[in-house]
Amino acid sequence: MNRKTLFQQIYDARWCYIFVFPCLVITSLFVLYPIGMSWYFSLLDWTGFTKDAKFIGFQNYIEAVNDEFFWNAFFRSFIFMFGTVPVKIILGFIIAVFLNNQVLKLAPFFRTIIFMPVVTAIAIIGIVMTFVFSPFNGPANKFLMGMNITSGPIDFLGDPNTVLPTVMGVYVWKWLGITMMYWLAALQTVPQDVYDAAKIDGAQGFKLWFHIILPIVLPFAIVIVLVEAVGALNVFPLIETMTAGGPFFSSEVMEVYIFRTAFVTDSGTMPRLGYACAAGVFWGVAVLFITVLQGIWIRKTRRL
Amino acid sequence: MSKYLNFIAERNQIRYLVISVIFLIFSFFWIYPLLWVLSASLKTDFEIWGGLGLIPEKLIWENFERAWFGANMGRYFFNTLIITFFSVTIVVITTGMFGYVIGRYSFPGKKILVGILISTIFIPQGYTIIPIFDLLNNLNLSKNLIGLTLATAGHTPVIYILLFAGYFSRIPVELEEAAKMDGAGFIRIFVTIMLPLTKPVVATVSILQVLHAWNDFLLPLVITLANPGIRTLSVGVYAFKGEYFVDWSGMAAASVITILPIIVLFLFMQKYFVEGVQGAVKG
């Protein structure tokens, strides 16, 4: 067989390139170009509103790693991740196991209800939740006091000790429907014969789930963990609308920090786009590092 | 024996009844915040903070009037509608074409292209937002809806491409070969044979993009900082909170204007929402 020359191959595939082109242009403009430019911007001393940008090398990075607020936000993002992802994974799994049962007639209805917050605009959820958790007659406090669980109102979002757990709870509530759908997709790959065979062998309850079902859904579980982990690091809209990082920066995660240093000027400081980009690049690389680690983990388990 | 089976069946029935009741109570609490904002949008401010009840004494439709005209939500509604509609159109056409080629053909450079795209899946939005803001300013697209629409369409097409590519790759080759025999060209095969077969994916991708475009927050917030006229609903409600923070009922009405269209869409097209979401882990 005579191989075609590269030129010939390219010519034959000319339509392929034409078809790829429109999407490639958009991706280049709004994904690839911004990635590249944020590296460049991160080396500038620049407000973003004037043309005079000064090249300062790695000054922004040095300043970031010496900023206490930066590291607080950095680690708070991971606290957020480790606090929400396991809860979502376990709770989502339990609900999916119940709703996967064909005998439960109301399962589709429950599925719809649990999924409902997922389709609701996240910024609106954040704003509505500031009402729900208001210390002044908010429904959450009304309920707790009506049931005699607490004696006085709790300032859920105004107290640095309760603000992060509250936001994490709302986050789990908002996105649990997605986790449940992931698990349902995983459970639906378990063939009915497996259940039947297991029952004949007398495997029930705990044994059935741990020794038979879990190994089948494990490859899914790892992808779910990866998707959930990255998702929990991108929580800007919820936190910005619920607390804007407050009180006293106690709920400021990384993206809120970037947004604040880049665009928020009401404390009298100048916006600093260059510095914010440096923080963003640092953050992006950290997230990428975690993703790659998890990717390697996925590959290893899939091969086994 | 039959007595024993009856006993088992009965026991199971009771078990499912108990589970259903527990889930019903759970569902009510789960959905309560959404019901609460819906009822608040039709109450007076005084009534909102008066109790936990969900039924308003009298329906106050003026709340919606205040939000729609006074707080400009009407305008933001149409902004959001335009951005959503055009970004969906752009995304479906471009990712559909891309997915078709990736799913069915091999050509020099394909692996590199796919590799670049895959590597961008997990880029956080906070990472790219500043250059996008700068780019739209430089292109003079930050003062109208065009820039915002394009940027919304450009955000995360990778998962859509994979959905399209997976579906196209499963269409049998025979269909295509028969058409080629009849003298159909590349574009004609794509438009008349392939596209009609992919309606389910088109629906799924459209739904996912509607969800993304309608509910997006960081991008429209940043782009419209200096241009309140092109705000979307989410940003509009957020600004509402800053400007009229004592008008609780008006804000509840504005929230309902934002979330109700998508909830209704979800109730009617649930199947595609589910498929789109599950596609992310199945792929």
Side-chain angles (χ1 to χ4, degrees):
Chain A
M1 200 182 119
N2 57 335
R3 264 183 82 86
K4 289 177 178 173
T5 62
L6 185 65
F7 180 76
Q8 188 75 43
Q9 280 179 36
I10 290 174
Y11 181 75
D12 284 349
R14 61 194 181 281
W15 280 108
C16 292
Y17 296 107
I18 293 171
F19 265 51
V20 161
F21 188 70
C23 187
L24 200 60
V25 169
I26 289 183
T27 309
S28 305
L29 277 178
F30 296 106
V31 182
L32 301 179
Y33 168 83
I35 292 172
M37 281 316 266
S38 61
W39 286 86
Y40 171 65
F41 288 166
S42 72
L43 305 173
L44 303 177
D45 179 16
W46 181 42
T47 63
F49 295 98
T50 50
K51 283 286 159 220
D52 55 321
K54 207 169 79 197
F55 186 84
I56 53 166
F58 290 98
Q59 281 294 314
N60 285 326
Y61 288 92
I62 294 166
E63 195 189 330
V65 295
N66 285 313
D67 183 7
E68 198 190 330
F69 290 104
F70 173 83
W71 287 113
N72 285 344
F74 189 86
F75 287 115
R76 201 169 287 118
S77 281
F78 286 100
I79 293 171
F80 197 96
M81 184 179 98
F82 286 113
T84 55
V85 173
V87 177
K88 279 179 75 191
I89 301 260
I90 293 168
L91 207 57
F93 182 72
I94 294 171
I95 292 173
V97 166
F98 278 112
L99 297 192
N100 193 39
N101 199 322
Q102 305 295 326
V103 191
L104 197 63
K105 288 285 178 300
L106 284 171
F109 169 75
F110 294 137
R111 208 182 56 184
T112 305
I113 296 286
I114 292 166
F115 199 73
M116 198 86 86
V118 172
V119 300
T120 312
I122 182 81
I124 305 301
I125 298 266
I127 291 162
V128 168
M129 286 301 170
T130 60
F131 296 167
V132 170
F133 288 106
S134 162
F136 312 106
N137 278 333
N141 272 312
K142 269 229 153 98
F143 176 77
L144 290 175
M145 283 157 73
M147 302 286 278
N148 280 324
I149 297 170
T150 54
S151 51
I154 300 171
D155 193 358
F156 287 102
L157 299 175
D159 182 341
N161 294 316
T162 52
V163 63
L164 207 55
T166 308
V167 178
M168 281 153 90
V170 172
Y171 176 82
V172 169
W173 172 77
K174 158 80 174 141
W175 296 112
L176 189 70
I178 289 230
T179 323
M180 173 191 73
M181 288 299 180
Y182 289 162
W183 278 122
L184 280 172
L187 289 175
Q188 273 149 22
T189 61
V190 180
Q192 188 60 39
D193 333 357
V194 172
Y195 290 99
D196 296 341
K199 265 183 198 144
I200 290 167
D201 290 345
Q204 266 190 341
F206 181 81
K207 233 183 186 172
L208 173 74
W209 285 103
F210 255 79
H211 296 293
I212 296 161
I213 310 292
L214 214 58
I216 299 178
V217 298
L218 198 65
F220 277 94
I222 293 161
V223 178
I224 296 174
V225 170
L226 173 69
V227 175
E228 296 280 351
V230 175
L233 295 174
N234 295 298
V235 289
F236 174 81
L238 186 65
I239 298 199
E240 179 66 23
T241 50
M242 271 184 89
T243 68
F248 316 115
F249 307 104
S250 56
S251 63
E252 187 174 78
V253 293
M254 207 52 215
E255 282 183 316
V256 178
Y257 177 86
I258 295 169
F259 180 78
R260 177 169 66 88
T261 49
F263 298 107
V264 177
T265 52
D266 52 21
S267 52
T269 53
M270 281 300 277
R272 304 177 60 203
L273 251 53
Y275 179 73
C277 270
V281 167
F282 196 99
W283 178 234
V285 171
V287 173
L288 192 69
F289 183 68
I290 296 161
T291 326
V292 169
L293 274 187
Q294 283 181 318
I296 293 169
W297 182 43
I298 290 177
R299 286 218 160 161
K300 269 196 170 161
T301 34
R302 285 246 158 127
R303 211 173 292 143
L304 288 174
Chain B
M1 188 67 190
S2 77
K3 237 184 191 172
Y4 177 69
L5 282 180
N6 272 343
F7 167 71
I8 294 276
E10 231 166 71
R11 199 187 63 180
N12 274 347
Q13 250 175 6
I14 292 169
R15 209 214 244 146
Y16 285 119
L17 195 70
V18 172
I19 293 174
S20 294
V21 170
I22 292 172
F23 261 99
L24 269 178
I25 297 168
F26 179 73
S27 297
F28 176 74
F29 278 99
W30 196 256
I31 209 72
Y32 182 85
L34 298 180
L35 296 176
W36 184 80
V37 69
L38 185 66
S39 92
S41 71
L42 293 165
K43 285 178 176 173
T44 59
D45 283 342
F46 179 73
E47 212 185 335
I48 290 178
W49 304 108
L52 291 168
L54 290 171
I55 315 289
E57 276 169 32
K58 211 181 105 198
L59 300 181
I60 315 285
W61 292 103
E62 292 82 58
N63 294 338
F64 280 91
E65 213 178 292
R66 240 174 23 253
W68 188 265
F69 297 105
N72 238 343
M73 294 305 285
R75 176 162 192 181
Y76 303 154
F77 184 87
F78 287 107
N79 286 345
T80 312
L81 203 63
I82 290 168
I83 291 169
T84 303
F85 177 79
F86 284 103
S87 81
V88 168
T89 313
I90 294 170
V91 157
V92 167
I93 293 173
T94 57
T95 60
M97 287 164 74
F98 200 109
Y100 174 62
V101 169
I102 294 292
R104 290 192 78 84
Y105 295 91
S106 64
F107 52 90
K110 177 178 159 180
K111 273 194 179 158
I112 301 170
L113 269 180
V114 175
I116 292 173
L117 280 177
I118 299 283
S119 69
T120 63
I121 286 188
F122 292 119
I123 298 291
Q125 214 185 1
Y127 186 17
T128 55
I129 187 70
I130 293 166
I132 289 177
F133 170 75
D134 180 60
L135 177 71
L136 291 182
N137 272 341
N138 290 341
L139 295 173
N140 269 329
L141 289 174
S142 63
K143 289 185 177 53
N144 51 41
L145 289 173
I146 298 172
L148 196 47
T149 307
L150 285 174
T152 306
H155 179 51
T156 45
V158 182
I159 179 77
Y160 307 155
I161 291 174
L162 296 180
L163 283 173
F164 268 117
Y167 199 87
F168 276 122
S169 69
R170 285 192 293 272
I171 296 174
V173 199
E174 287 78 16
L175 274 175
E176 201 176 341
E177 274 167 359
K180 256 186 204 158
M181 295 286 221
D182 293 343
F186 195 89
I187 289 190
R188 233 179 81 192
I189 291 176
F190 178 67
V191 174
T192 60
I193 297 172
M194 294 297 171
L195 264 192
L197 291 172
T198 48
K199 270 183 199 147
V201 189
V202 171
T204 302
V205 168
S206 303
I207 293 275
L208 282 178
Q209 180 64 18
V210 166
L211 197 59
H212 168 69
W214 193 277
N215 293 345
D216 199 13
F217 183 65
L218 178 58
L219 180 76
L221 177 69
V222 168
I223 304 301
T224 62
L225 277 176
N227 302 289
I230 57 166
R231 276 175 186 158
T232 60
L233 283 168
S234 282
V235 180
V237 179
Y238 186 55
F240 192 142
K241 191 188 169 198
E243 287 160 21
Y244 313 81
F245 68 95
V246 283
D247 186 2
W248 311 108
S249 50
M251 206 170 342
S255 300
V256 170
I257 291 171
T258 309
I259 63 183
L260 205 58
I262 296 292
I263 290 181
V264 171
L265 187 75
F266 163 65
L267 291 178
F268 281 100
M269 312 204 69
Q270 217 183 120
K271 188 181 140 213
Y272 297 109
F273 276 84
V274 172
E275 262 162 31
V277 166
Q278 294 185 336
V281 282
K282 276 182 182 162

